[in-house]
Amino acid sequence: MTILIVVAIVASMLGSILWVMPSKRDQDKMKIRLLARKSQLGVQLTHIELPDKWDKSTTKVKSAAYHKFRINKLKSLTDEVCIYPYEVWKYENILDGWYASRVINLSESSQETLKNHMQNFKAIVVTADCVSLHWNENGEESDVEKIQSLLSEIEAIDFV
């Protein structure tokens, strides 16, 4: 009887420990976030308000934002520039399925990154202080390098 009680207590403790352990998916997200921080990107769990096609209403969506902060504030940029993987009627089509509030010319590698991650990326927001990519982190560690390259290219654009 004593052995049965001891086994029940040990099983209960193991169950609690396994319940607290992060899942494989959560561990992968943590690895991606750590790699992003090592690549000098800021990582923030946040939300973004995405406009509908007619820009009449917004939908609040949870996302992970990866930020590339500027060393010097871009004073020529007064309004934020938004890039979405869906059509907003008053935005410019910058490539298949991607629309921006201003015309942006991107390199082939950046265009390829946007095309390949259309389902994962929710928005890219460019402000005077930083360039932010909002996404759902359904990717691999190799995607962090592509994101860093994309954000660096957009950061280098001088919006006049």
Side-chain angles (χ1 to χ4, degrees):
M1 185 66 165
T2 308
I3 294 175
L4 187 60
I5 294 172
V6 170
V7 169
I9 292 172
V10 169
S12 174
M13 290 173 52
L14 284 176
S16 298
I17 291 171
L18 292 176
W19 183 70
V20 173
M21 295 279 296
S23 67
K24 175 73 172 141
R25 177 72 190 122
D26 289 337
Q27 290 176 2
D28 291 343
K29 283 184 180 182
M30 288 186 284
K31 286 180 186 175
I32 290 172
R33 291 172 188 159
L34 183 62
L35 186 59
R37 287 187 192 112
K38 287 181 181 177
S39 299
Q40 298 173 348
L41 295 175
V43 177
Q44 179 183 18
L45 299 178
T46 185
H47 70 276
I48 184 168
E49 294 193 13
L50 300 173
D52 65 355
K53 181 177 180 176
W54 302 109
D55 201 23
K56 295 283 185 190
S57 63
T58 58
T59 304
K60 197 174 196 178
V61 179
K62 290 182 181 180
S63 70
Y66 285 24
H67 305 287
K68 174 93 170 109
F69 291 99
R70 299 179 189 277
I71 295 171
N72 297 322
K73 189 174 184 175
L74 188 61
K75 294 176 183 171
S76 63
L77 186 63
T78 55
D79 294 331
E80 65 182 25
V81 177
C82 299
I83 305 170
Y84 298 115
Y86 59 89
E87 184 179 4
V88 178
W89 76 275
K90 61 183 177 180
Y91 286 18
E92 300 289 331
N93 186 3
I94 58 171
L95 66 123
D96 291 336
W98 284 90
Y99 295 83
S101 57
R102 286 198 187 172
V103 177
I104 298 174
N105 295 318
L106 297 173
S107 68
E108 288 293 324
S109 63
S110 293
Q111 289 181 12
E112 196 65 34
T113 300
L114 290 176
K115 286 178 188 177
N116 291 337
H117 293 88
M118 189 173 241
Q119 302 302 322
N120 293 333
F121 294 173
K122 296 178 181 178
I124 299 172
V125 180
V126 183
T127 63
D129 296 322
C130 69
V131 180
S132 303
L133 170 73
H134 293 266
W135 70 312
N136 57 13
E137 294 182 305
N138 284 339
E140 301 172 1
E141 292 181 23
S142 62
D143 293 333
V144 173
E145 184 178 320
K146 295 174 186 174
I147 290 170
Q148 207 271 345
S149 174
L150 173 67
L151 294 181
S152 294
E153 181 179 339
I154 294 173
E155 177 193 25
I157 297 173
D158 189 20
F159 295 95
V160 179

